[in-house]
C-alpha cells in the first residue's frame, strides 16, 4: 500500500509540475498583452467600446508608441494598403502616442466602431475604424497610403474627447 501511495504521489507531483510548465508557455497572447499593458501609458476611454474594439484600439496605440509599423499593419482587416498606412501613422503619431492618449468611441460597436484618438502631447486627433474582418477577428481599416490623408484631422470630430455623440450607448432615444 505504501508503495502504491508513493507512486501515486510522484505521478501527481509530475503531472502538476508538467501542467504548470505547460500553462506558463501556452498562453503567450495573455503574457504579451500584460507586458504591453505594463510598458505603456494607460489609454483613456470615452464612449462605449466593445471588448474587441477596445483591445484593437489599445494595441494600435501601443504599436504607434513603439514605432512598430509592422505590428500596426498586422492589425489590418485588409492588407491592400496596410503597410503604407501603418508607416504613415507611425511617422505622424508615433511620438505623440508615447504620451497621454484618449480614445473616443462612437456607434454601438457590435461589428464596427469609429474611434477618434486624441493625442494630448501634440494636440493631434486621428479618426480610425475598428471592425470585424472576414476571419471574424477585430482589426483596423488601414486604407490611407497618402500621407496627407493619413494625417488629416477629422473635420466632424469635436476639438476635445466626449464633445458629441460618443457618450451614447447606441440605444435610440425616444421621440
Amino acid at each position: 500500500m505504501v508503495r502504491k501511495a508513493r507512486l501515486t504521489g510522484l505521478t501527481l507531483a509530475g503531472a502538476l509540475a508538467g501542467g504548470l510548465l505547460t500553462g506558463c508557455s501556452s498562453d503567450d497572447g495573455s503574457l504579451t498583452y500584460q507586458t504591453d499593458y505594463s510598458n505603456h501609458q494607460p489609454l483613456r476611454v470615452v464612449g462605449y467600446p466593445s471588448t474587441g474594439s477596445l483591445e484593437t484600439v489599445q494595441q494600435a496605440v501601443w504599436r504607434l508608441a513603439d514605432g512598430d509599423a509592422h505590428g500596426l499593419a498586422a492589425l489590418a482587416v485588409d492588407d491592400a494598403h496596410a503597410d503604407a498606412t501603418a508607416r504613415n501613422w507611425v511617422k505622424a503619431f508615433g511620438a505623440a502616442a508615447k504620451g497621454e492618449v484618449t480614445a473616443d468611441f462612437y456607434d454601438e460597436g457590435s461589428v464596427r466602431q469609429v474611434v477618434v484618438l486624441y493625442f494630448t502631447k501634440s494636440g493631434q486627433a486621428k479618426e480610425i475604424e475598428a471592425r470585424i474582418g472576414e476571419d471574424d477577428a477585430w482589426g483596423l481599416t488601414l486604407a490611407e497610403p497618402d500621407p496627407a490623408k493619413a494625417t488629416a484631422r477629422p473635420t466632424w470630430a469635436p476639438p476635445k474627447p466626449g464633445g458629441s455623440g460618443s457618450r451614447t450607448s447606441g440605444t435610440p432615444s425616444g421621440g
Side-chain angles (χ1 to χ4, degrees), residues 2-78:
V2 173
R3 189 170 203 212
K4 194 173 191 181
R6 282 186 184 164
L7 186 58
T8 304
L10 290 174
T11 304
L12 180 60
L16 182 59
L20 288 175
L21 291 174
T22 304
C24 290
S25 63
S26 69
D27 196 15
D28 290 339
S30 178
L31 182 58
T32 300
Y33 182 86
Q34 290 173 7
T35 301
D36 272 342
Y37 188 86
S38 64
N39 288 338
H40 296 91
Q41 290 241 8
L43 180 67
R44 294 173 178 249
V45 176
V46 177
Y48 296 91
S50 69
T51 302
S53 65
L54 176 59
E55 183 176 342
T56 300
V57 170
Q58 189 169 38
Q59 288 179 12
V61 172
W62 292 340
R63 301 297 77 83
L64 287 170
D66 293 343
D68 183 4
H70 180 71
L72 183 61
L75 295 174
V77 291
D78 180 4

Side-chain angles (χ1 to χ4, degrees), residues 71-113:
L72 183 61
L75 295 174
V77 291
D78 180 4
D79 291 336
H81 300 288
D83 291 328
T85 301
R87 284 190 304 272
N88 289 337
W89 287 9
V90 166
K91 185 176 180 181
F93 306 105
K98 292 177 184 180
E100 184 178 295
V101 179
T102 301
D104 198 344
F105 288 80
Y106 290 81
D107 310 319
E108 54 82 30
S110 60
V111 294
R112 71 179 278 285
Q113 202 154 27

Side-chain angles (χ1 to χ4, degrees), residues 123-151:
Q124 295 169 291
K126 174 67 187 151
E127 174 187 353
I128 64 173
E129 180 186 66
R131 68 179 176 92
I132 296 177
E134 291 179 11
D135 61 353
D136 291 330
W138 279 90
L140 295 177
T141 302
L142 294 170
E144 297 174 335
D146 175 22
K149 184 176 179 185
T151 59

